[in-house]
Amino acid sequence: MKYKKTLLLVVLFLFMYGAGAGAAKIVDVFSGSPFIQGETENWGLGFGTEGTTPTGNVSAEELAKYDAHFVGDTTKKTIYLTFDCGYENGNSDKILDALKKHKATGTFFVVGNFLETAPEIVKRMQKEGHLVGNHTYHHPDMSKISDFASFQKEIEDVENLYQEITGEKMVKLYRPPQGKFNEDNLNMAKQLGYHTFFWSLAYVDWYEDNQPTAKEAYSKLLPRIHPGAVVLLHSTSKTNGDILDELLTKWEEMGYTFGSLEELCK
């Protein structure tokens, strides 16, 4: 479906480093000019040695100017678990069960379709103390939206439906669909009171008909974990549902604990 296919662009930047436009943006970061007015950015990472913080194609310091983040405190072995929720296909309850067992707080970035079709799961997320963040209503390329009113509608339609379902106001946590953004987007999200969240660890987990094996998942998620990691997983992934309990156990055995994404907004 469109949600999964459009995310393909993110992979190119997650697993390829130093090529094409992504490399140009990394150079721009270190020259002090990470943004070109009106140009779309694709969130991307460059990985070094195992267990070290990856390099974002916009630095944490530059992102902070817009209340945006991709990593936490790199001196503390804390992991921030986040899940992108495009639709419900039977894995969310297993994910929630694992989080409950490990007393870990997750942040679930939801779109309108998820709210419409899985309100009971959304209620469970809220009841069990998880954060439900904003992934826009229709999952468009928000970097192509330059009009503030249109940007605001994509965000507020999610807020309104979440409040209708749970009776609570949504936390002001936003993740751009497809990892696409520009400077104007970051400013608009900030004007709406949101903190924007990218990620510092992810893997190809969203193809429903081509799921990675547990071994393949561990080969990506264990060596690349690092202090302050903001981990992106997809709730649509059967593999994630199946391995999350064991994965969290393995991370705990490596000395990691789990934090709440709101900690990074202070």
Side-chain angles (χ1 to χ4, degrees):
M1 73 188 306
K2 184 178 180 181
Y3 176 80
K4 295 184 283 186
K5 290 180 180 178
T6 54
L7 279 168
L8 178 60
L9 288 172
V10 181
V11 182
L12 299 177
F13 288 87
L14 283 170
F15 295 97
M16 296 177 64
Y17 176 57
K25 293 299 175 292
I26 292 170
V27 172
D28 285 340
V29 170
F30 291 105
S31 69
S33 179
F35 295 105
I36 298 175
Q37 186 66 33
E39 184 170 318
T40 297
E41 303 277 346
N42 294 276
W43 179 246
L45 296 168
F47 293 93
T49 57
E50 289 187 7
T52 61
T53 307
T55 302
N57 61 335
V58 179
S59 70
E61 293 75 18
E62 186 68 27
L63 288 174
K65 297 176 183 178
Y66 307 90
D67 289 343
H69 320 262
F70 83 97
V71 69
D73 187 337
T74 58
T75 68
K76 296 181 179 180
K77 297 189 77 172
T78 304
I79 296 171
Y80 301 92
L81 300 167
T82 74
F83 302 85
D84 283 4
C85 305
Y87 59 97
E88 172 52 30
N89 65 345
N91 298 298
S92 296
D93 280 327
K94 290 188 290 185
I95 289 170
L96 288 166
D97 289 344
L99 294 174
K100 186 175 184 178
K101 178 178 177 180
H102 291 266
K103 298 181 172 61
T105 300
T107 300
F108 294 86
F109 287 98
V110 299
V111 298
N113 176 69
F114 194 91
L115 291 167
E116 291 173 358
T117 60
E120 294 306 314
I121 292 176
V122 174
K123 289 178 183 178
R124 179 181 174 188
M125 291 171 180
Q126 188 268 337
K127 182 179 179 181
E128 295 184 0
H130 300 294
L131 306 174
V132 180
N134 202 317
H135 202 34
T136 73
Y137 205 91
H138 297 101
H139 200 266
D141 177 353
M142 294 291 276
S143 69
K144 296 187 181 301
I145 298 178
S146 58
D147 174 64
F148 181 78
S150 299
F151 188 98
Q152 183 177 27
K153 181 172 174 54
E154 276 291 335
I155 297 295
E156 290 190 347
D157 283 354
V158 173
E159 292 177 357
N160 293 337
L161 185 51
Y162 175 80
Q163 187 165 359
E164 181 181 323
I165 291 168
T166 66
E168 302 287 340
K169 289 187 176 181
M170 175 171 266
V171 295
K172 298 282 189 173
L173 308 176
Y174 164 63
R175 174 164 284 158
Q178 310 168 49
K180 290 188 174 184
F181 67 103
N182 57 36
E183 188 174 13
D184 289 341
N185 289 166
L186 297 181
N187 274 320
M188 286 189 279
K190 184 176 180 179
Q191 287 179 54
L192 292 170
Y194 275 83
H195 283 251
T196 298
F197 279 92
F198 297 100
W199 56 90
S200 62
L201 177 59
Y203 79 120
V204 182
D205 62 351
W206 57 85
Y207 292 112
E208 190 172 357
D209 298 327
N210 187 23
Q211 282 287 287
T213 64
K215 182 178 179 180
E216 290 169 339
Y218 290 141
S219 73
K220 300 293 184 183
L221 296 172
L222 295 179
R224 288 181 173 174
I225 197 64
H226 54 274
V230 175
V231 179
L232 164 59
L233 301 172
H234 285 83
S235 66
T236 54
S237 168
K238 182 179 185 300
T239 297
N240 289 342
D242 290 344
I243 73 168
L244 190 61
D245 179 17
E246 185 176 359
L247 176 64
L248 299 185
T249 298
K250 289 179 181 293
W251 278 336
E252 288 170 330
E253 290 171 348
M254 295 169 70
Y256 285 93
T257 59
F258 307 110
S260 169
L261 207 61
E262 283 187 308
E263 297 167 8
L264 305 186
C265 300
K266 297 176 181 177

